[in-house]
Amino acid sequence: KPIVAWCVGTCASCFATEVQFGHAGAQARGDTETAAAKNKAMKEAGFHVPDSFDKLPEMIGNVYTQMVQEGEIVETPEGETPVVPMDYTWAKKLGMVRKPANFISSIADDRGEELKYCGVTITDVFDKEMGIGGVLSLLWFRRQLPRECTKFIEMILMVTADHGPAVSGAHNAIVTARA
């Protein structure tokens, strides 16, 4: 069976100094130990390895589609979706629907024709190419931060995504060193 794989840590090459990744203190001690070298080795061994992490979903989809076309996977139709009962109180007692929220957000507003973050329409967010850093500045800081601040937020997210949730010490050290 085909293997689709990606060795995380390729962002280490973006830093001018050596970076230690992972809760076990993993650090590449040479060119053959880097994430890029491991991805290259997996590709040479016959693994399906995308050129970058953001291409991983596309790679998975392509391998799956190829396996369906070659008959290795036979898709079966999903079952029929059950009809949701019209009686809300009965459905709530059965645990089929959630209780309405008890709070109102003053940051995001979906009451009008278009979603707004801190007064900025979602169309403007995309048209102005604010990116995830810009969106987080609106949601967390309730204002549009300068571009260098939003780029820093995006760098933090990239480093965090490469680490996983349990590596706050290493993540904090990297962010602090770069601040």
Side-chain angles (χ1 to χ4, degrees):
K1 298 196 189 251
I3 299 173
V4 179
W6 179 258
C7 180
V8 298
T10 55
C11 73
S13 63
C14 298
F15 299 105
T17 59
E18 286 187 1
V19 180
Q20 181 175 316
F21 285 111
H23 66 277
Q27 188 173 28
R29 302 269 184 231
D31 290 342
T32 60
E33 292 183 9
T34 65
K38 291 174 184 177
N39 283 327
K40 182 177 182 257
M42 288 190 294
K43 191 179 274 189
E44 290 171 356
F47 289 40
H48 295 272
V49 181
D51 294 329
S52 62
F53 179 75
D54 61 339
K55 302 282 187 202
L56 186 59
E58 181 183 342
M59 175 74 70
I60 293 169
N62 291 342
V63 170
Y64 178 83
T65 301
Q66 180 182 350
M67 292 178 74
V68 169
Q69 290 171 347
E70 294 173 358
E72 292 181 57
I73 294 177
V74 178
E75 294 182 315
T76 57
E78 289 189 28
E80 211 173 294
T81 305
V83 177
V84 177
M86 296 303 287
D87 182 62
Y88 174 78
T89 305
W90 180 71
K92 186 176 169 199
K93 283 182 183 177
L94 292 175
M96 299 175 79
V97 294
R98 294 187 316 205
K99 177 180 167 235
N102 288 332
F103 66 92
I104 297 172
S105 172
S106 62
I107 304 167
D109 185 356
D110 60 355
R111 294 174 296 174
E113 291 290 316
E114 186 174 7
L115 175 65
K116 293 181 181 179
Y117 294 148
C118 196
V120 179
T121 65
I122 195 70
T123 299
D124 283 343
V125 167
F126 290 116
D127 287 346
K128 294 176 182 176
E129 300 181 353
M130 290 182 173
I132 192 72
V135 168
L136 291 179
S137 77
L138 293 172
L139 293 175
W140 292 354
F141 301 98
R142 296 183 179 208
R143 61 191 162 101
Q144 180 61 49
L145 295 174
R147 186 70 184 138
E148 58 270 15
C149 293
T150 61
K151 290 299 283 182
F152 183 69
I153 291 170
E154 290 172 4
M155 184 189 82
I156 291 169
L157 290 172
M158 286 185 267
V159 170
T160 304
D162 197 34
H163 274 69
V167 193
S168 60
H171 170 254
N172 289 341
I174 293 167
V175 171
T176 303
R178 303 287 177 229

